[in-house]
Amino acid sequence: MAKPVGFDQKILLHQLDYTANEARRSEKNEMYEKLDDFLLADIKGQKSRKNAITMLMKIWYLVKGEERNLQAKAFNIILDSSEKERVLLHYTMTILAYPFVKELVQEMGKLFKLQDEVTSQQIGRVMKNSYGDRRRVEVATSAVLMSLKSWGIITPGDSKQTYMMGEKIKIASSSMKQWLAEAIIRSSEGTSITIEMLNSQPGFFSFDYQISSSDLCKDTFEVNRQGLDMIMVEMV
């Protein structure tokens, strides 16, 4: 059975800003109506607008399980975050909502460690190998790349269909670092992670951050030293 894709059109930052802002205070049916009205200026086609609404709701409203705790914390810190910091919140919530996006940015981050430019063909091959050689995967890959470009995560390269890393976004606030650490742990396969792994996630290649044990609140995280140089972090 083919893995689900789901991400099938470009999403813009102002659409995510609006969704996150309204999701804090709107009932479900009301939220759908608000998004439909808001997106009219960007998306004229009803089907495309409905697809965008489905995606935005999945990212910021229809959050399930333990990630609801992250959503609640994001609602609190987004009010005081800068425009650049909000990109991290939107980016991370999108990764949590869409495994397809998570896998794509992880592969892109790995490639950027080896080379300055990444081609859309390279990314396309990786995603087809994982999700199948089908048109839906091509559409989703293009939609993710276009979204990342519009968010400033990547920029056009020197050649056609190539991309470079965008200017890295500095993450300095303690609350944002704690939120990011929790998001990384919850999205990982295990229940704990090393400090080194927290700070070297390939999928977060466009963010400049350094999380230390002193940044992690004891009410949320448990930090343990194993051996001489390994520090493990897990959720309380």
Side-chain angles (χ1 to χ4, degrees):
M1 183 177 178
K3 293 193 290 186
V5 177
F7 201 102
D8 53 11
Q9 70 184 65
K10 180 170 72 172
I11 295 296
L12 303 175
L13 282 178
H14 73 270
Q15 296 167 353
L16 289 162
D17 276 339
Y18 178 83
T19 306
N21 186 54
E22 295 299 325
R24 293 183 295 109
R25 56 193 180 200
S26 303
E27 296 296 328
K28 185 176 177 180
N29 289 339
E30 180 188 14
M31 191 68 206
Y32 278 107
E33 293 176 2
K34 285 182 175 181
L35 282 172
D36 193 49
D37 289 340
F38 180 78
L39 292 175
L40 269 173
D42 295 330
I43 307 170
K44 300 303 180 185
Q46 184 176 3
K47 184 178 184 302
S48 295
R49 196 165 62 252
K50 184 178 179 180
N51 287 345
I53 291 170
T54 298
M55 293 165 67
L56 291 166
M57 289 289 287
K58 185 174 177 64
I59 293 167
W60 271 113
Y61 198 97
L62 302 175
V63 179
K64 299 178 180 179
E66 293 182 344
E67 288 161 13
R68 289 184 65 85
N69 184 53
L70 275 170
Q71 177 198 39
K73 291 179 179 178
F75 285 154
N76 288 331
I77 61 179
I78 199 170
L79 298 173
D80 298 318
S81 61
S82 67
E83 182 179 353
K84 290 289 188 181
E85 288 174 328
R86 288 202 304 274
V87 175
L88 173 65
L89 297 176
H90 295 317
Y91 180 88
T92 307
M93 292 299 290
T94 302
I95 288 173
L96 293 171
Y98 287 98
F100 183 91
V101 180
K102 177 184 175 182
E103 189 168 334
L104 188 150
V105 296
Q106 284 178 333
E107 292 300 328
M108 182 167 267
K110 292 174 185 176
L111 287 170
F112 275 134
K113 288 185 176 182
L114 303 173
Q115 57 202 63
D116 294 331
E117 293 189 345
V118 173
T119 69
S120 56
Q121 289 87 349
Q122 284 177 298
I123 297 299
R125 281 196 298 270
V126 171
M127 300 314 291
K128 282 184 177 180
N129 285 339
S130 183
Y131 284 80
D133 189 356
R134 49 196 172 117
R135 175 62 180 162
R136 189 177 182 96
V137 176
E138 290 183 14
V139 170
T141 299
S142 177
V144 175
L145 292 174
M146 287 191 296
S147 297
L148 295 177
K149 186 172 72 170
S150 73
W151 303 351
I153 300 297
I154 55 177
T155 60
D158 293 331
S159 304
K160 188 177 181 181
Q161 293 187 318
T162 63
Y163 298 97
M164 300 184 296
M165 276 194 288
E167 182 179 351
K168 286 206 171 190
I169 298 172
K170 180 72 174 176
I171 305 299
S173 76
S174 177
S175 59
M176 198 68 75
K177 287 182 180 181
Q178 289 193 56
W179 188 87
L180 176 58
E182 182 174 346
I184 291 172
I185 293 172
R186 291 198 185 283
S187 66
S188 65
E189 294 181 0
T191 58
S192 62
I193 193 171
T194 66
I195 282 281
E196 182 182 6
M197 290 179 66
L198 270 181
N199 289 306
S200 59
Q201 291 288 306
F204 289 88
F205 60 86
S206 193
F207 300 93
D208 179 11
Y209 67 94
Q210 190 67 32
I211 299 171
S212 66
S213 55
S214 61
D215 291 315
L216 303 174
C217 174
K218 293 181 180 179
D219 292 338
T220 306
F221 304 93
E222 184 173 330
V223 180
N224 296 299
R225 183 177 293 275
Q226 296 185 2
L228 294 174
D229 57 2
M230 182 181 291
I231 300 176
M232 299 296 300
V233 180
E234 61 181 316
M235 304 300 302
V236 173

